mmCIF file of all heavy atoms in Angstrom:
data_model
loop_
_atom_site.group_PDB
_atom_site.id
_atom_site.type_symbol
_atom_site.label_atom_id
_atom_site.label_comp_id
_atom_site.label_asym_id
_atom_site.label_seq_id
_atom_site.Cartn_x
_atom_site.Cartn_y
_atom_site.Cartn_z
ATOM 1 N N LYS A 244 10.870 -18.374 -23.559
ATOM 2 C CA LYS A 244 11.231 -17.215 -24.393
ATOM 3 C C LYS A 244 10.342 -17.166 -25.627
ATOM 4 O O LYS A 244 9.832 -16.110 -25.991
ATOM 5 C CB LYS A 244 12.697 -17.331 -24.836
ATOM 6 C CG LYS A 244 13.654 -16.620 -23.905
ATOM 7 C CD LYS A 244 15.033 -16.533 -24.512
ATOM 8 C CE LYS A 244 15.962 -15.901 -23.500
ATOM 9 N NZ LYS A 244 17.321 -16.356 -23.553
ATOM 10 N N ALA A 245 10.172 -18.326 -26.251
ATOM 11 C CA ALA A 245 9.367 -18.374 -27.487
ATOM 12 C C ALA A 245 7.925 -17.948 -27.187
ATOM 13 O O ALA A 245 7.323 -17.199 -27.953
ATOM 14 C CB ALA A 245 9.400 -19.781 -28.068
ATOM 15 N N TYR A 246 7.396 -18.403 -26.051
ATOM 16 C CA TYR A 246 6.015 -18.048 -25.667
ATOM 17 C C TYR A 246 5.904 -16.519 -25.539
ATOM 18 O O TYR A 246 5.002 -15.887 -26.093
ATOM 19 C CB TYR A 246 5.656 -18.727 -24.340
ATOM 20 C CG TYR A 246 4.180 -18.748 -24.046
ATOM 21 C CD1 TYR A 246 3.397 -19.855 -24.346
ATOM 22 C CD2 TYR A 246 3.550 -17.644 -23.475
ATOM 23 C CE1 TYR A 246 2.033 -19.864 -24.091
ATOM 24 C CE2 TYR A 246 2.198 -17.638 -23.221
ATOM 25 C CZ TYR A 246 1.440 -18.755 -23.523
ATOM 26 O OH TYR A 246 0.086 -18.758 -23.269
ATOM 27 N N PHE A 247 6.868 -15.957 -24.820
ATOM 28 C CA PHE A 247 6.861 -14.504 -24.570
ATOM 29 C C PHE A 247 6.994 -13.737 -25.892
ATOM 30 O O PHE A 247 6.289 -12.753 -26.117
ATOM 31 C CB PHE A 247 8.020 -14.164 -23.625
ATOM 32 C CG PHE A 247 7.977 -12.760 -23.076
ATOM 33 C CD1 PHE A 247 6.774 -12.123 -22.791
ATOM 34 C CD2 PHE A 247 9.162 -12.070 -22.806
ATOM 35 C CE1 PHE A 247 6.745 -10.834 -22.263
ATOM 36 C CE2 PHE A 247 9.138 -10.787 -22.274
ATOM 37 C CZ PHE A 247 7.933 -10.178 -22.018
ATOM 38 N N GLU A 248 7.871 -14.202 -26.761
ATOM 39 C CA GLU A 248 8.084 -13.509 -28.039
ATOM 40 C C GLU A 248 6.791 -13.499 -28.853
ATOM 41 O O GLU A 248 6.440 -12.495 -29.454
ATOM 42 C CB GLU A 248 9.207 -14.180 -28.846
ATOM 43 C CG GLU A 248 10.610 -13.981 -28.255
ATOM 44 C CD GLU A 248 10.952 -12.522 -27.960
ATOM 45 O OE1 GLU A 248 10.639 -11.660 -28.791
ATOM 46 O OE2 GLU A 248 11.509 -12.260 -26.866
ATOM 47 N N THR A 249 6.078 -14.631 -28.843
ATOM 48 C CA THR A 249 4.827 -14.681 -29.619
ATOM 49 C C THR A 249 3.800 -13.718 -29.037
ATOM 50 O O THR A 249 3.110 -13.006 -29.770
ATOM 51 C CB THR A 249 4.236 -16.117 -29.640
ATOM 52 O OG1 THR A 249 5.297 -17.016 -29.914
ATOM 53 C CG2 THR A 249 3.149 -16.260 -30.663
ATOM 54 N N VAL A 250 3.707 -13.681 -27.700
ATOM 55 C CA VAL A 250 2.747 -12.750 -27.087
ATOM 56 C C VAL A 250 3.074 -11.321 -27.535
ATOM 57 O O VAL A 250 2.190 -10.568 -27.975
ATOM 58 C CB VAL A 250 2.783 -12.846 -25.538
ATOM 59 C CG1 VAL A 250 1.964 -11.726 -24.901
ATOM 60 C CG2 VAL A 250 2.278 -14.206 -25.065
ATOM 61 N N LYS A 251 4.339 -10.951 -27.484
ATOM 62 C CA LYS A 251 4.733 -9.581 -27.851
ATOM 63 C C LYS A 251 4.430 -9.294 -29.321
ATOM 64 O O LYS A 251 3.888 -8.244 -29.655
ATOM 65 C CB LYS A 251 6.229 -9.375 -27.553
ATOM 66 C CG LYS A 251 6.517 -9.278 -26.047
ATOM 67 C CD LYS A 251 7.918 -8.790 -25.769
ATOM 68 C CE LYS A 251 8.946 -9.847 -26.131
ATOM 69 N NZ LYS A 251 10.321 -9.440 -25.847
ATOM 70 N N GLU A 252 4.801 -10.270 -30.166
ATOM 71 C CA GLU A 252 4.544 -10.100 -31.614
ATOM 72 C C GLU A 252 3.075 -9.856 -31.890
ATOM 73 O O GLU A 252 2.699 -8.957 -32.627
ATOM 74 C CB GLU A 252 4.903 -11.398 -32.337
ATOM 75 C CG GLU A 252 6.176 -11.362 -33.142
ATOM 76 C CD GLU A 252 6.556 -12.781 -33.523
ATOM 77 O OE1 GLU A 252 5.674 -13.524 -34.028
ATOM 78 O OE2 GLU A 252 7.724 -13.165 -33.279
ATOM 79 N N LYS A 253 2.228 -10.700 -31.276
ATOM 80 C CA LYS A 253 0.784 -10.607 -31.547
ATOM 81 C C LYS A 253 0.208 -9.300 -31.005
ATOM 82 O O LYS A 253 -0.706 -8.733 -31.593
ATOM 83 C CB LYS A 253 0.025 -11.797 -30.931
ATOM 84 C CG LYS A 253 0.425 -13.124 -31.496
ATOM 85 C CD LYS A 253 -0.218 -13.347 -32.849
ATOM 86 C CE LYS A 253 0.334 -14.588 -33.519
ATOM 87 N NZ LYS A 253 0.092 -14.638 -34.963
ATOM 88 N N LEU A 254 0.743 -8.849 -29.878
ATOM 89 C CA LEU A 254 0.270 -7.572 -29.331
ATOM 90 C C LEU A 254 0.593 -6.454 -30.321
ATOM 91 O O LEU A 254 -0.242 -5.591 -30.603
ATOM 92 C CB LEU A 254 0.947 -7.268 -27.983
ATOM 93 C CG LEU A 254 0.444 -8.045 -26.768
ATOM 94 C CD1 LEU A 254 1.269 -7.700 -25.533
ATOM 95 C CD2 LEU A 254 -1.039 -7.715 -26.495
ATOM 96 N N THR A 255 1.805 -6.487 -30.849
ATOM 97 C CA THR A 255 2.209 -5.472 -31.816
ATOM 98 C C THR A 255 1.322 -5.567 -33.059
ATOM 99 O O THR A 255 0.872 -4.542 -33.581
ATOM 100 C CB THR A 255 3.698 -5.666 -32.193
ATOM 101 O OG1 THR A 255 4.444 -5.734 -30.985
ATOM 102 C CG2 THR A 255 4.215 -4.533 -33.069
ATOM 103 N N GLU A 256 1.058 -6.797 -33.473
ATOM 104 C CA GLU A 256 0.245 -7.010 -34.675
ATOM 105 C C GLU A 256 -1.129 -6.352 -34.565
ATOM 106 O O GLU A 256 -1.638 -5.818 -35.533
ATOM 107 C CB GLU A 256 0.040 -8.512 -34.845
ATOM 108 C CG GLU A 256 0.439 -9.044 -36.202
ATOM 109 C CD GLU A 256 0.361 -10.570 -36.195
ATOM 110 O OE1 GLU A 256 -0.757 -11.137 -36.271
ATOM 111 O OE2 GLU A 256 1.426 -11.172 -36.088
ATOM 112 N N ILE A 257 -1.728 -6.413 -33.354
ATOM 113 C CA ILE A 257 -3.065 -5.813 -33.235
ATOM 114 C C ILE A 257 -3.006 -4.387 -32.682
ATOM 115 O O ILE A 257 -4.024 -3.807 -32.318
ATOM 116 C CB ILE A 257 -4.038 -6.686 -32.388
ATOM 117 C CG1 ILE A 257 -3.491 -6.908 -30.976
ATOM 118 C CG2 ILE A 257 -4.339 -8.001 -33.054
ATOM 119 C CD1 ILE A 257 -4.521 -7.555 -30.060
ATOM 120 N N GLY A 258 -1.804 -3.838 -32.649
ATOM 121 C CA GLY A 258 -1.667 -2.414 -32.325
ATOM 122 C C GLY A 258 -1.770 -2.077 -30.847
ATOM 123 O O GLY A 258 -2.193 -0.974 -30.498
ATOM 124 N N ILE A 259 -1.415 -3.012 -29.979
ATOM 125 C CA ILE A 259 -1.441 -2.693 -28.550
ATOM 126 C C ILE A 259 -0.027 -2.284 -28.106
ATOM 127 O O ILE A 259 0.924 -3.054 -28.250
ATOM 128 C CB ILE A 259 -1.962 -3.884 -27.724
ATOM 129 C CG1 ILE A 259 -3.448 -4.086 -28.035
ATOM 130 C CG2 ILE A 259 -1.743 -3.652 -26.220
ATOM 131 C CD1 ILE A 259 -4.119 -5.159 -27.255
ATOM 132 N N ASP A 260 0.083 -1.069 -27.592
ATOM 133 C CA ASP A 260 1.384 -0.575 -27.115
ATOM 134 C C ASP A 260 1.693 -1.158 -25.751
ATOM 135 O O ASP A 260 0.815 -1.221 -24.896
ATOM 136 C CB ASP A 260 1.333 0.954 -26.948
ATOM 137 C CG ASP A 260 1.415 1.638 -28.292
ATOM 138 O OD1 ASP A 260 1.909 1.009 -29.248
ATOM 139 O OD2 ASP A 260 0.960 2.804 -28.376
ATOM 140 N N TYR A 261 2.941 -1.516 -25.553
ATOM 141 C CA TYR A 261 3.325 -2.033 -24.238
ATOM 142 C C TYR A 261 4.801 -1.732 -24.025
ATOM 143 O O TYR A 261 5.523 -1.399 -24.957
ATOM 144 C CB TYR A 261 3.104 -3.556 -24.177
ATOM 145 C CG TYR A 261 3.933 -4.303 -25.198
ATOM 146 C CD1 TYR A 261 5.264 -4.662 -24.927
ATOM 147 C CD2 TYR A 261 3.406 -4.610 -26.453
ATOM 148 C CE1 TYR A 261 6.030 -5.313 -25.887
ATOM 149 C CE2 TYR A 261 4.172 -5.254 -27.409
ATOM 150 C CZ TYR A 261 5.481 -5.602 -27.124
ATOM 151 O OH TYR A 261 6.245 -6.230 -28.077
ATOM 152 N N GLU A 262 5.220 -1.884 -22.791
ATOM 153 C CA GLU A 262 6.640 -1.769 -22.490
ATOM 154 C C GLU A 262 7.009 -2.993 -21.654
ATOM 155 O O GLU A 262 6.221 -3.402 -20.794
ATOM 156 C CB GLU A 262 6.885 -0.500 -21.683
ATOM 157 C CG GLU A 262 8.335 -0.089 -21.662
ATOM 158 C CD GLU A 262 8.504 1.283 -21.029
ATOM 159 O OE1 GLU A 262 7.899 2.261 -21.546
ATOM 160 O OE2 GLU A 262 9.199 1.372 -20.013
ATOM 161 N N VAL A 263 8.166 -3.577 -21.940
ATOM 162 C CA VAL A 263 8.581 -4.731 -21.139
ATOM 163 C C VAL A 263 9.257 -4.193 -19.873
ATOM 164 O O VAL A 263 10.094 -3.300 -19.937
ATOM 165 C CB VAL A 263 9.563 -5.619 -21.928
ATOM 166 C CG1 VAL A 263 10.082 -6.748 -21.041
ATOM 167 C CG2 VAL A 263 8.882 -6.182 -23.174
ATOM 168 N N ASP A 264 8.838 -4.712 -18.727
ATOM 169 C CA ASP A 264 9.462 -4.322 -17.455
ATOM 170 C C ASP A 264 9.930 -5.609 -16.769
ATOM 171 O O ASP A 264 9.118 -6.367 -16.229
ATOM 172 C CB ASP A 264 8.431 -3.583 -16.590
ATOM 173 C CG ASP A 264 8.971 -3.273 -15.196
ATOM 174 O OD1 ASP A 264 10.152 -3.590 -14.926
ATOM 175 O OD2 ASP A 264 8.203 -2.723 -14.371
ATOM 176 N N TYR A 265 11.254 -5.834 -16.820
ATOM 177 C CA TYR A 265 11.774 -7.102 -16.301
ATOM 178 C C TYR A 265 11.639 -7.224 -14.785
ATOM 179 O O TYR A 265 11.811 -8.298 -14.228
ATOM 180 C CB TYR A 265 13.244 -7.281 -16.719
ATOM 181 C CG TYR A 265 13.389 -7.505 -18.207
ATOM 182 C CD1 TYR A 265 14.150 -6.642 -18.986
ATOM 183 C CD2 TYR A 265 12.757 -8.569 -18.833
ATOM 184 C CE1 TYR A 265 14.283 -6.838 -20.357
ATOM 185 C CE2 TYR A 265 12.873 -8.777 -20.202
ATOM 186 C CZ TYR A 265 13.637 -7.910 -20.959
ATOM 187 O OH TYR A 265 13.745 -8.114 -22.299
ATOM 188 N N ASN A 266 11.362 -6.098 -14.129
ATOM 189 C CA ASN A 266 11.185 -6.165 -12.670
ATOM 190 C C ASN A 266 9.735 -6.411 -12.262
ATOM 191 O O ASN A 266 9.418 -6.466 -11.079
ATOM 192 C CB ASN A 266 11.674 -4.878 -12.005
ATOM 193 C CG ASN A 266 13.175 -4.928 -11.768
ATOM 194 O OD1 ASN A 266 13.821 -5.923 -12.096
ATOM 195 N ND2 ASN A 266 13.722 -3.870 -11.196
ATOM 196 N N LEU A 267 8.846 -6.529 -13.242
ATOM 197 C CA LEU A 267 7.432 -6.731 -12.899
ATOM 198 C C LEU A 267 7.241 -8.209 -12.531
ATOM 199 O O LEU A 267 7.337 -9.091 -13.379
ATOM 200 C CB LEU A 267 6.579 -6.371 -14.118
ATOM 201 C CG LEU A 267 5.077 -6.212 -13.962
ATOM 202 C CD1 LEU A 267 4.540 -5.452 -15.168
ATOM 203 C CD2 LEU A 267 4.325 -7.489 -13.805
ATOM 204 N N VAL A 268 7.030 -8.461 -11.234
ATOM 205 C CA VAL A 268 6.909 -9.857 -10.801
ATOM 206 C C VAL A 268 5.548 -10.166 -10.182
ATOM 207 O O VAL A 268 5.219 -11.309 -9.928
ATOM 208 C CB VAL A 268 8.029 -10.242 -9.804
ATOM 209 C CG1 VAL A 268 9.368 -10.196 -10.490
ATOM 210 C CG2 VAL A 268 8.001 -9.348 -8.580
ATOM 211 N N ARG A 269 4.745 -9.110 -9.921
ATOM 212 C CA ARG A 269 3.412 -9.273 -9.342
ATOM 213 C C ARG A 269 3.487 -9.770 -7.893
ATOM 214 O O ARG A 269 4.436 -10.423 -7.495
ATOM 215 C CB ARG A 269 2.533 -10.221 -10.167
ATOM 216 C CG ARG A 269 2.454 -9.847 -11.625
ATOM 217 C CD ARG A 269 1.411 -8.801 -11.911
ATOM 218 N NE ARG A 269 0.086 -9.232 -11.508
ATOM 219 C CZ ARG A 269 -0.711 -8.512 -10.698
ATOM 220 N NH1 ARG A 269 -0.305 -7.369 -10.203
ATOM 221 N NH2 ARG A 269 -1.900 -8.960 -10.395
ATOM 222 N N GLY A 270 2.429 -9.430 -7.134
ATOM 223 C CA GLY A 270 2.470 -9.709 -5.705
ATOM 224 C C GLY A 270 1.906 -11.058 -5.290
ATOM 225 O O GLY A 270 1.868 -11.374 -4.112
ATOM 226 N N LEU A 271 1.439 -11.844 -6.257
ATOM 227 C CA LEU A 271 0.833 -13.128 -5.893
ATOM 228 C C LEU A 271 1.718 -14.243 -6.456
ATOM 229 O O LEU A 271 2.348 -14.084 -7.493
ATOM 230 C CB LEU A 271 -0.587 -13.229 -6.472
ATOM 231 C CG LEU A 271 -1.567 -12.148 -5.988
ATOM 232 C CD1 LEU A 271 -1.504 -10.899 -6.856
ATOM 233 C CD2 LEU A 271 -2.995 -12.660 -5.997
ATOM 234 N N ASP A 272 1.719 -15.375 -5.762
ATOM 235 C CA ASP A 272 2.693 -16.425 -6.094
ATOM 236 C C ASP A 272 2.378 -17.249 -7.337
ATOM 237 O O ASP A 272 3.230 -17.941 -7.854
ATOM 238 C CB ASP A 272 2.799 -17.414 -4.919
ATOM 239 C CG ASP A 272 3.754 -16.888 -3.863
ATOM 240 O OD1 ASP A 272 4.324 -15.793 -4.092
ATOM 241 O OD2 ASP A 272 3.923 -17.565 -2.828
ATOM 242 N N TYR A 273 1.129 -17.197 -7.825
ATOM 243 C CA TYR A 273 0.747 -18.206 -8.825
ATOM 244 C C TYR A 273 1.185 -17.920 -10.253
ATOM 245 O O TYR A 273 0.918 -18.712 -11.150
ATOM 246 C CB TYR A 273 -0.750 -18.507 -8.772
ATOM 247 C CG TYR A 273 -1.704 -17.318 -8.699
ATOM 248 C CD1 TYR A 273 -1.763 -16.373 -9.702
ATOM 249 C CD2 TYR A 273 -2.583 -17.194 -7.616
ATOM 250 C CE1 TYR A 273 -2.663 -15.320 -9.637
ATOM 251 C CE2 TYR A 273 -3.489 -16.145 -7.535
ATOM 252 C CZ TYR A 273 -3.525 -15.209 -8.553
ATOM 253 O OH TYR A 273 -4.407 -14.177 -8.483
ATOM 254 N N TYR A 274 1.828 -16.796 -10.487
ATOM 255 C CA TYR A 274 2.089 -16.432 -11.879
ATOM 256 C C TYR A 274 3.215 -17.221 -12.549
ATOM 257 O O TYR A 274 4.237 -17.543 -11.936
ATOM 258 C CB TYR A 274 2.372 -14.936 -11.987
ATOM 259 C CG TYR A 274 1.145 -14.115 -11.693
ATOM 260 C CD1 TYR A 274 1.055 -13.354 -10.536
ATOM 261 C CD2 TYR A 274 0.056 -14.135 -12.556
ATOM 262 C CE1 TYR A 274 -0.086 -12.622 -10.253
ATOM 263 C CE2 TYR A 274 -1.093 -13.409 -12.280
ATOM 264 C CZ TYR A 274 -1.151 -12.656 -11.137
ATOM 265 O OH TYR A 274 -2.289 -11.939 -10.863
ATOM 266 N N THR A 275 3.012 -17.499 -13.829
ATOM 267 C CA THR A 275 4.029 -18.098 -14.696
ATOM 268 C C THR A 275 3.880 -17.396 -16.049
ATOM 269 O O THR A 275 2.826 -16.838 -16.343
ATOM 270 C CB THR A 275 3.756 -19.596 -14.943
ATOM 271 O OG1 THR A 275 2.415 -19.730 -15.405
ATOM 272 C CG2 THR A 275 3.951 -20.432 -13.684
ATOM 273 N N HIS A 276 4.907 -17.412 -16.854
ATOM 274 C CA HIS A 276 4.856 -16.778 -18.189
ATOM 275 C C HIS A 276 4.386 -15.313 -18.105
ATOM 276 O O HIS A 276 4.854 -14.571 -17.273
ATOM 277 C CB HIS A 276 3.996 -17.601 -19.157
ATOM 278 C CG HIS A 276 4.627 -18.916 -19.506
ATOM 279 N ND1 HIS A 276 5.744 -19.021 -20.308
ATOM 280 C CD2 HIS A 276 4.321 -20.185 -19.157
ATOM 281 C CE1 HIS A 276 6.089 -20.296 -20.441
ATOM 282 N NE2 HIS A 276 5.251 -21.024 -19.732
#
Side-chain angles (χ1 to χ4, degrees):
K244 267 191 184 148
Y246 196 96
F247 191 34
E248 290 308 318
T249 315
V250 171
K251 288 192 289 182
E252 254 167 49
K253 297 282 172 198
L254 284 176
T255 308
E256 234 173 77
I257 59 170
I259 292 183
D260 284 338
Y261 61 85
E262 196 171 301
V263 175
D264 174 2
Y265 291 121
N266 276 0
L267 193 163
V268 295
R269 307 276 301 127
L271 300 88
D272 277 358
Y273 46 62
Y274 292 110
T275 53
H276 292 289

